[in-house]
Amino acid sequence: MQVLYVSTEVYPALKTGGLADVNAALPPALIRLGADVRLLLPAFPALLKAAGQLERVAKLDTVFGTAPVEISRGTLDGVPAYFIVAPEFYARRGNPYTDAKGQDWPDNHLRFALLGWVAARFADSAFDGWRPDIVHSHDWHAGLAPAYLAARGGDRPGSVFTVHNLSYQGQFPAETFGALHLPPHFFGLQGLEFYGKVNFIKAGLHYADRITTVSPTYAREIQTPQQGCGMEGLLRSRAGALTGILNGVDPQEWNPASDPRIPARYDAGHLEGKAVCKTALQTGLGLGLNAAGPLFGAVSRLTTQKGLDLLLGALPRLTAGGGQLALLGAGDADLEQGFRAAAAAHPRAVAVRIGYDEDRAHRIVAGADVMVVPSRFEPCGLTQMYGLAYGTLPLVRRVGGLADTVTDAAVPEGDGFVFEETNVAALGAALERVFSVWREPHIWAALRRQAMRADFGWEPSARRYLDLYRGLRPHA
Ligand code: ADP
C-alpha cells in the first residue's frame, strides 16, 4: 500500500498545534504495519533544516505563475518525505500560515493550492517513479488535493481527507477561483463554493473518497448545526464516507518513565518521581510549596475554542479552594492579559507563562495534579491524554475527543473529571468535585492508577486508517 501523506507541519521540526504531533506519529505507525508512506510537505525553512541532505527528483512548471518548482526527496526522523521547493511561496519568516504579525499571507490560496496540485501530480508517476495508491491529505491546507485528483479523473489514487479542526476552513474571495485552475463547474454548491467564496476545507469534504476526523464524538458533532461550522449538511450527506478515528499518544515523546525533559522519572508503581516533579514545578514558577490543594496545569493555545476564559472566570474559586494553577499558552491578547493579571495578583497561587515552550509543557504535565481542558469544542485533544499518561487527572468538558478519552470519577472506571455546560459555574462546580476527591487521598490514588493504565498507543488507530485505505484499494 503506497500512501502519499499530504500536510504542512511535523513535530519537532515545525509545530503550531496537535496536527504536528499527529503527523510525527501516524506515518511511522503506518510504516510499522507495512505501508509505504511518504510525506509531501511545502519546503518551509524549518522542515528543510530538519530534513538534511535532499535529492531533487523533479522540476515542474506550475499553473500558479511561479518559477518552476523542484520536488526534492529527503527524510524527517527516518520517514521518507517529498518537499515542494518553491522559495517564493514557502521561504518566509513567520509561521506556515501567517506572517510575523499573525496576519494570513495574502497569497495563501496559491501557496496551499500548490500543495494540493503537486499531490495530484503524483498520480502521473511524475516523481521518482512512485505512484501512490492513496493520497491522504490533512486539514484545509491540503484540502484541494482531492479536488485536483477528482478533476484529473481516470484511474486515479483513492483520496482520504482528515479534518483535524473544522473551524479553520481556508476561505478566499470568489475572484481567487480562476487562479486555482480547476474546472469552472467546481465553483458551485456541489463543489468548493461556500456562500459565494472559495472554501478549501469544503473541497476536501466534497471531493475526497473518504473523510475522517480525529475522534468518534467529533465525527458525530460536526454533523450538527452547533459544531458543523456550516458544513453539517454536507457532512450529513456524506455520513457513509465519514469516520472518527481517535489520535494516539507517541510514547517516545510522552512517557513519564523515560521523559528526559522532566526532573524525575516515574511510573504507576513508583510515584516518588511525580512528587519531585511537582515540587520542582512549584519552585521553578515561584508558586507556594505549602498549598493544601491540587496543582492544576494547562498547556494550550489561548483561543475561544479552548474555553480558557471559563478557567479565568473560575480562578477565584480555584484559589479559594487552596488550588494552584500553572498555565503555559499563547494566543488571544485579552486572555494573555487576563492570566498575566491573575498571576500578578496571586503570585504564590497562579503562575502564567506566555509563549511556546516544549520543555515547560512536559514539566507542567508531569508536575501538576490535574490537567484542565475546558474546551468549547475539541476534535480530539492531546493534553488530556498526556495528563492520563502522567497520572495528572484530566478535568475536561464533555465534548469531542475529550468525551471519548476521559471517564468521570463518578463511575468505577473513572480516570478524571468531566463537566457538561460551557459556563463558569459548571467549571466551578467541577473544581469543587476535584477538591472533595483531593481530600480523599486513597480515591485520588485509585483514579490516578486508572488514568495511568489508559492506553492510547497509535497502533489500533493506524490499523483503522489502513483498513480504510484497503477499502478504497483492496488489491494494493
Ligand atoms: P490543538 O491542536 O487544537 O492546539 P491539541 O491538544 O490537539 O490542541 O494539541 C496541542 C499540542 O500543542 C499539544 O502537544 C500541546 O502540548 C502543545 N502546546 C500547546 N500550547 C503549547 C505551548 N504554549 N507550549 C508548548 N506546547 C504547547
Side-chain angles (χ1 to χ4, degrees), residues 15 17-18 21 299-301 306 328-329 355-357 361 381-383 386:
K15 168 167 167 176
D21 295 7
V299 178
S300 182
R301 292 184 292 117
K306 299 292 180 178
L328 169 65
Y356 183 87
D357 184 339
L382 292 172
T383 58
Y386 301 158

Side-chain angles (χ1 to χ4, degrees), residues 403-419:
D404 292 336
T405 52
V406 181
T407 308
D408 189 79
V411 298
E413 64 277 15
D415 52 17
F417 302 90
V418 183
F419 68 101

Side-chain angles (χ1 to χ4, degrees), residues 21 26 28 79 118 168 192 200 237 241 264 266 276 282 284-285 289 333 339 368 410 470:
D21 295 7
L26 174 57
V79 175
V118 172
Y168 298 100
L192 53 72
F200 275 40
S237 75
Y266 60 91
V276 174
Q282 289 169 314
L285 294 173
L289 284 173
F339 278 109
R470 290 201 182 109

Side-chain angles (χ1 to χ4, degrees), residues 15-19 21 164-165 168 247 254 299-301 305-306 328-330 353-361 365 373 378-384 386:
K15 168 167 167 176
T16 71
L19 176 64
D21 295 7
H164 297 261
N165 192 328
Y168 298 100
N247 285 335
W254 291 95
V299 178
S300 182
R301 292 184 292 117
Q305 173 193 342
K306 299 292 180 178
L328 169 65
R353 294 294 181 271
I354 301 297
Y356 183 87
D357 184 339
E358 196 70 40
D359 284 348
R360 200 185 294 280
V365 172
V373 195
E378 194 57 79
C380 178
L382 292 172
T383 58
Q384 85 282 7
Y386 301 158

Side-chain angles (χ1 to χ4, degrees), residues 106 109-110 171-181 187 192-193 195-200:
H109 60 294
L110 297 176
Q171 288 217 61
F172 303 97
E175 305 78 78
T176 59
F177 179 73
L180 304 180
H181 290 265
F187 190 66
L192 53 72
E193 187 241 305
Y195 292 102
K197 292 195 165 159
V198 168
N199 187 306
F200 275 40

Side-chain angles (χ1 to χ4, degrees), residues 4 44 58 63 66 85 116 151 172 257 263 273 290 309 313 320 323 327 343 345 372 409 415 431 441 448:
L4 186 67
F44 295 123
V63 292
T66 63
V85 184
F172 303 97
N290 52 357
D309 51 315
L327 177 136
V372 198
D415 52 17
L431 290 174
R448 189 154 60 190

